[in-house]
Amino acid sequence: MDGAPRPAALPRRRPAGRAGGAELTFELPESARQCFHEPLQRGLKFTLDFQVITGGHYDVDCYVEDPNGKTLYKEAKKQYDSFSHRAEVAGVYTFCFSNEFSTFSHKTVYFDFQVGDEPPILPDMSHRVTALTQMESACVTIHEALNTVIDSQTHYRLREAQDRSRAEELNHHVSYWSVGETVLLLVVSVTQVMLLKSFFTETRATTGAVST
């Protein structure tokens, strides 16, 4: 898979036995766009899942184009989404993430790009005419359960990263607010001392003038 520079991490290939593709978490600066390219054969199915982990309102623009430049998918300011499509023409497909609408917010984006249908776990499973044995059925059930566990782990990992980012952001706001309150308290205290000092100075001066 080809991509623009400055990725935050290298693509991580999916576990064996699942559909091909890659996972990637990357940094998307403000007012920037990052595109990735994947050559696909005609009739091959692909799925794009993405989620904004940190930054701003946790949203990003995303679009997918076929080799002829036709837009297959386009959404604006999405926090997360999923798109599946079967390639109608062979060639290089492009999918881009854009943060051009944001002037100050730096984003961290995760995406999972899956290519192809998942291969059967049993040989000639798609061409069998007889019913599965109890052991084969158990294998299929376990396989599906493991896939669900993998997807759930990914989901909770992203949620944990997003919640941690929000907690750190809230902690920074609280720290800045505390520093601001401390500075304001010091300014008020110094001002009060100066006012009291000037008040007693003026009183002493007035008393001395009356005595004279």
Side-chain angles (χ1 to χ4, degrees):
M1 179 178 296
D2 303 322
R6 296 186 61 188
L10 294 177
R12 182 175 60 186
R13 290 292 165 182
R14 303 187 63 84
R18 305 198 74 188
E23 294 176 286
L24 179 64
T25 301
F26 66 96
E27 302 289 336
L28 186 61
E30 58 277 2
S31 304
R33 179 178 59 182
Q34 188 141 350
C35 295
F36 301 86
H37 312 278
E38 180 74 11
L40 298 175
Q41 298 297 323
R42 181 179 179 181
L44 197 62
K45 179 183 177 181
F46 66 90
T47 301
L48 174 65
D49 298 299
F50 69 89
Q51 180 174 341
V52 181
I53 302 176
T54 63
H57 296 288
Y58 302 90
D59 54 356
V60 71
D61 296 343
C62 180
Y63 65 88
V64 180
E65 293 182 348
D66 68 5
N68 298 325
K70 178 183 177 182
T71 301
L72 305 175
Y73 168 87
K74 185 176 183 180
E75 291 290 342
K77 296 185 177 181
K78 297 287 290 187
Q79 294 184 346
Y80 58 89
D81 204 2
S82 178
F83 171 71
S84 297
H85 183 76
R86 193 169 293 277
E88 298 177 354
V89 294
V92 178
Y93 285 73
T94 302
F95 58 98
C96 298
F97 300 94
S98 174
N99 194 29
E100 295 173 314
F101 61 87
S102 179
T103 308
F104 306 102
S105 298
H106 189 97
K107 308 290 177 63
T108 302
V109 182
Y110 161 86
F111 73 83
D112 179 8
F113 190 78
Q114 303 178 37
V115 179
D117 297 313
E118 184 175 345
I121 62 173
L122 299 175
D124 299 329
M125 182 175 175
S126 58
H127 304 288
R128 295 186 59 168
V129 295
T130 59
L132 298 177
T133 65
Q134 184 175 0
M135 181 175 294
E136 291 173 338
S137 299
C139 290
V140 172
T141 302
I142 294 173
H143 178 73
E144 293 174 350
L146 288 176
N147 284 342
T148 302
V149 170
I150 292 174
D151 293 336
S152 298
Q153 286 179 335
T154 300
H155 171 74
Y156 288 123
R157 177 166 53 86
L158 294 176
R159 286 293 301 273
E160 187 272 336
Q162 191 176 70
D163 292 341
R164 183 177 64 250
S165 173
R166 288 177 176 174
E168 291 175 352
E169 183 179 359
L170 181 59
N171 180 59
H172 291 159
H173 290 167
V174 172
S175 299
Y176 293 149
W177 180 259
S178 300
V179 171
E181 284 188 330
T182 302
V183 172
L184 181 61
L185 182 60
L186 289 175
V187 171
V188 171
S189 300
V190 171
T191 303
Q192 288 179 341
V193 171
M194 296 298 294
L195 287 176
L196 290 174
K197 183 177 180 181
S198 63
F199 174 75
F200 285 112
T201 301
E202 292 176 359
T203 303
R204 188 180 302 109
T206 303
T207 304
V210 172
S211 298
T212 304

